Amino acid sequence: LALLKAGADAEDEEGRYARPASATLGALEFERGRIHWPRQWYLGFRRTLRLVEKQLLSSHAHYLMNSPAEIALMFDKPACHRRLSESGVPVPKCLGTVGSFDELRAAMRAKGCARVFVKLAHGSSASGVVAYQTDGVRQRATTTVEVVRRGGRTLLYNSRRIRTHLGAREIAALVDELCRHRAHVERWFPKAGIEGRTFDLRVVVIAGKARQRVVRLSRHPLTNLHLLNGRGSPERVASRMGEAGWADSLDACERVMKVALPRSLYAGVDLAVAPNFRGHSVLEVNAFGDLLPGVLHEGLDTYAAELRAAGLAPETLPAATEAR
């Protein structure tokens, strides 16, 4: 709520997305899972980051692991996608932002594209993500979003239950509502399969080096671990890709931080591998994507590795105690 209020009168260079009246915010009550005005939330988040950065300019007693400006960039999917592409990072082809379901269908026809991911521009953890596909007649949308109609309004809620919609009317209502809050569209990058499921990887890059890695297995298009998806073996994926292919994929993750986001110490990079195990694409960059309990690299978890890379943990401490 505080971030929504901080964004209430913040300048919006886009200027066309849903924003509530101040009175509405004053009467807002907590609803578990409700997606509230993500564009305004982002404007408040960005303003707060800028305020923190300004306050720190007058202080010498601090260490910034990640640049506030680059954190804001990572929470803006269209801008981040553009930065990655310009930096030579392989990313899915972009269809841009769309204003409605009709605009989405028109953009797909213009690009000759039958499968896309529609994402809230400022969402995270699969919030407001729709995997949509059509053959021109039949349609299918897979999503974490629960749509509720109440008092003539369409309300959106996050859920761990994966929902599949087949009807054009319900899919259009979902996409139209997401577009009110700014929606980013990418061509669906097909993922390789292993252990009977498709997968992608979360790779934590720290000080320019790909370190902790998790293979996220799923029977549906959304692989986030909090959706109760499984974990696979990075070594098995590396073996299927071959030494050169695996090295190239990790190099792409490292390029994200070295070239596109050079003022940030770490991030969680989501990497998809092509079905033939010969290509790859960076899907997301997560400013706070280092929560991987129990996943070690060279004996260190993510937090211990970050502290050591930042020079804030003594090199002589045992790895087991550094992580505490």
Side-chain angles (χ1 to χ4, degrees):
L1 179 58
L3 291 177
L4 284 172
K5 289 181 177 178
D9 60 349
E11 181 182 356
D12 186 358
E13 61 275 13
E14 298 285 339
R16 60 190 181 97
Y17 297 105
R19 298 175 72 170
S22 297
T24 301
L25 288 179
L28 195 63
E29 296 183 357
F30 174 77
E31 288 186 77
R32 186 176 179 85
R34 176 82 181 275
I35 301 174
H36 283 297
W37 303 288
R39 177 62 179 174
Q40 181 159 319
W41 171 90
Y42 173 74
L43 295 174
F45 181 56
R46 186 176 65 180
R47 170 180 270 187
T48 302
L49 287 170
R50 289 173 176 172
L51 176 61
V52 169
E53 188 169 33
K54 182 178 180 180
Q55 290 172 337
L56 289 176
L57 287 175
S58 60
S59 170
H60 299 290
H62 72 274
Y63 179 89
L64 278 176
M65 284 193 168
N66 284 358
S67 153
E70 290 186 350
I71 292 173
L73 179 68
M74 286 183 255
F75 272 88
D76 185 336
K77 294 187 193 302
C80 190
H81 185 282
R82 185 164 54 251
R83 172 75 65 84
L84 295 179
S85 181
E86 292 170 350
S87 301
V89 176
V91 289
K93 293 188 180 301
C94 178
L95 279 69
T97 55
V98 297
S100 66
F101 181 65
D102 288 342
E103 283 188 23
L104 171 65
R105 291 296 303 271
M108 292 174 68
R109 287 192 295 269
K111 298 288 187 180
C113 182
R115 305 170 78 210
V116 296
F117 268 79
V118 180
K119 306 176 180 182
L120 277 176
H122 311 297
S124 61
S125 302
S127 174
V129 173
V130 180
Y132 173 70
Q133 55 189 313
T134 179
D135 61 6
V137 179
R138 294 170 297 179
Q139 303 180 57
R140 183 184 186 93
T142 304
T143 184
T144 58
V145 181
E146 178 183 1
V147 182
V148 175
R149 292 287 298 172
R150 185 188 304 160
R153 297 184 299 156
T154 300
L155 309 180
L156 304 180
Y157 293 82
N158 285 317
S159 172
R160 289 206 305 186
R161 175 188 165 197
I162 303 300
R163 289 169 165 78
T164 300
H165 302 290
L166 302 177
R169 181 176 296 179
E170 59 183 336
I171 294 173
L174 168 61
V175 173
D176 282 347
E177 186 63 24
L178 291 174
C179 288
R180 291 182 63 239
H181 304 284
R182 196 171 185 230
H184 171 71
V185 183
E186 297 173 357
R187 189 183 293 268
W188 185 327
F189 185 89
K191 297 175 181 177
I194 204 167
E195 300 179 25
R197 288 169 283 182
T198 56
F199 73 89
D200 63 15
L201 297 103
R202 166 65 57 86
V203 180
V204 178
V205 180
I206 303 170
K209 181 176 175 58
R211 298 179 186 266
Q212 292 79 6
R213 306 128 194 197
V214 172
V215 175
R216 309 185 301 185
L217 303 169
S218 181
R219 301 190 188 282
H220 51 72
L222 306 175
T223 59
N224 301 70
L225 292 178
H226 78 280
L227 300 178
L228 307 182
N229 289 313
R231 296 191 182 198
S233 165
E235 292 76 20
R236 188 171 179 184
V237 173
S239 176
R240 290 290 304 273
M241 295 185 75
E243 184 176 349
W246 179 244
D248 283 347
S249 69
L250 296 183
D251 180 71
C253 296
E254 293 173 354
R255 187 174 182 83
V256 168
M257 304 308 294
K258 291 178 180 177
V259 181
L261 301 163
R263 294 190 293 141
S264 293
L265 178 71
Y266 74 91
V269 178
D270 293 344
L271 179 79
V273 177
N276 62 5
F277 286 87
R278 294 180 180 176
H280 53 267
S281 184
V282 170
L283 305 177
E284 300 274 352
V285 186
N286 305 270
F288 309 125
D290 57 345
L291 178 60
L292 295 179
V295 180
L296 305 182
H297 176 74
E298 297 178 351
L300 300 178
D301 68 10
T302 54
Y303 304 128
E306 288 160 7
L307 289 172
R308 176 171 286 183
L312 301 176
E315 293 284 344
T316 56
L317 282 179
T321 61
E322 285 183 83
R324 297 194 182 108

